């Protein structure tokens, strides 16, 4: 069974999210610091990459909204897909942020004994 328009989904600017892979390395580096010290920068890089992807998704949806409003967009469903993708990406980002803040707050409540 074929649905018209679904074949062009791959060419509509939609790129599925692919989670980055992080190579585990527990061996100490020659400078004497463990790989855990570098994990902070890897995590930071992943956060920045995620925010960049969120921004790109938002910009794509905004651009398509302008095209739809001016009549330059041929397929309105492309905008609907982009807007939904931006909405879901934003919701996931906010959920991750909320969990991170909750974890930080819990760590700050811990008593050192």
């Amino acid at each position: 069974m074929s649905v018209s328009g679904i074949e062009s989904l791959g060419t509509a600017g939609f790129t599925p999210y692919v989670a980055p892979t992080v190579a585990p390395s527990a061996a100490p580096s020659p400078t004497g610091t463990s790989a855990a010290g570098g994990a902070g920068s890897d995590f930071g890089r992943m956060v920045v990459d995620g925010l960049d992807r969120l921004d790109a998704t938002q910009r794509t949806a905004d651009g398509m909204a302008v095209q739809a409003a001016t009549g330059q967009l041929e397929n309105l469903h492309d905008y609907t897909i982009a807007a939904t993708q931006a909405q879901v990406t934003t919701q996931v980002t906010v959920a991750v942020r909320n969990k991170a803040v909750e974890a930080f707050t819990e760590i700050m409540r811990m008593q050192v004994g």
Side-chain angles (χ1 to χ4, degrees), residues 9-64:
L9 184 61
T11 61
F14 175 76
T15 54
Y17 176 74
V18 177
T21 58
V22 179
S25 173
S29 67
T31 59
T33 60
S34 68
S41 63
D42 289 342
F43 177 74
R45 212 172 312 126
M46 285 180 12
V47 169
V48 170
D49 182 48
L51 292 175
D52 287 343
R53 287 178 190 224
L54 172 63
D55 184 51
T57 305
Q58 292 279 347
R59 287 179 189 266
T60 300
D62 290 346
M64 286 187 167

Side-chain angles (χ1 to χ4, degrees), residues 5 8 12 64 67-68 72-81:
S8 65
M64 286 187 167
Q67 288 177 350
Q72 297 173 346
L73 190 63
E74 285 185 30
N75 299 321
L76 190 59
H77 65 273
D78 289 340
Y79 165 67
T80 306
I81 291 168

Side-chain angles (χ1 to χ4, degrees), residues 95-110:
V96 169
R97 185 221 41 199
N98 289 345
K99 284 293 184 178
V101 169
E102 185 180 315
F104 177 77
T105 304
E106 189 65 29
I107 289 170
M108 294 304 292
R109 283 190 215 145
M110 288 183 184

